[in-house]
């Protein structure tokens, strides 16, 4: 259920929606861990994805807001991690700051 998110970032917040499919166990729920790139606020909603059956799909929204002015053309990385006791899935985040 991984998908990389790459952002070219000016001053406007960026919003994305992603759809994930359950390839793990039925009746599972995944909690989110956010490792924000330096200089970026990352907000994910909802904070938990619930999958009643194998193959079910669920959506989440992620908003990226720039905290401060980074150096022109500088880059930073982070990730969104969805996890259960048995599984962990990461979606890498790559950011390029543009002024």
């Amino acid at each position: 259920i991984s998908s990389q998110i790459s952002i070219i970032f000016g001053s406007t917040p960026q919003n994305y929606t992603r759809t994930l499919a359950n390839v793990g166990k039925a009746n599972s729920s995944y909690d989110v861990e956010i490792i924000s790139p330096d200089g970026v606020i990352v907000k994910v909603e909802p904070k938990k994805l619930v999958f009643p059956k194998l193959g079910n799909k669920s959506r989440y929204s992620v908003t990226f807001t720039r905290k401060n002015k980074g150096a022109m053309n500088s880059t930073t990385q982070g990730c969104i991690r969805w996890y259960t006791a048995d599984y962990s899935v990461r979606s890498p985040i790559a950011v390029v700051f543009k002024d």
Side-chain angles (χ1 to χ4, degrees), residues 2-99:
S2 177
S3 60
Q4 181 172 337
I5 302 170
S6 298
I7 304 163
I8 297 177
F9 217 172
S11 59
T12 305
Q14 303 284 320
N15 300 299
Y16 297 89
T17 301
R18 294 286 187 254
T19 301
L20 304 178
N22 182 23
V23 296
K25 298 177 183 175
N27 296 318
S28 60
S29 63
Y30 287 76
D31 292 306
V32 69
E33 176 186 23
I34 301 166
I35 301 169
S36 296
D38 290 338
V40 179
I41 298 167
V42 179
K43 181 181 175 186
V44 174
E45 290 295 332
K47 303 212 180 299
K48 181 181 291 258
L49 297 177
V50 178
F51 297 97
K53 297 179 181 177
L54 181 65
N56 279 154
K57 294 182 179 181
S58 190
R59 296 176 77 165
Y60 72 93
S61 296
V62 59
T63 302
F64 301 94
T65 305
R66 191 171 178 171
K67 281 201 267 190
N68 50 31
K69 285 204 167 228
M72 181 82 147
N73 297 320
S74 66
T75 61
T76 185
Q77 298 178 7
C79 71
I80 297 169
R81 183 174 78 99
W82 294 98
Y83 65 93
T84 68
D86 298 322
Y87 300 101
S88 177
V89 179
R90 286 185 36 200
S91 292
I93 303 166
V95 176
V96 177
F97 293 107
K98 297 283 187 186
D99 291 324

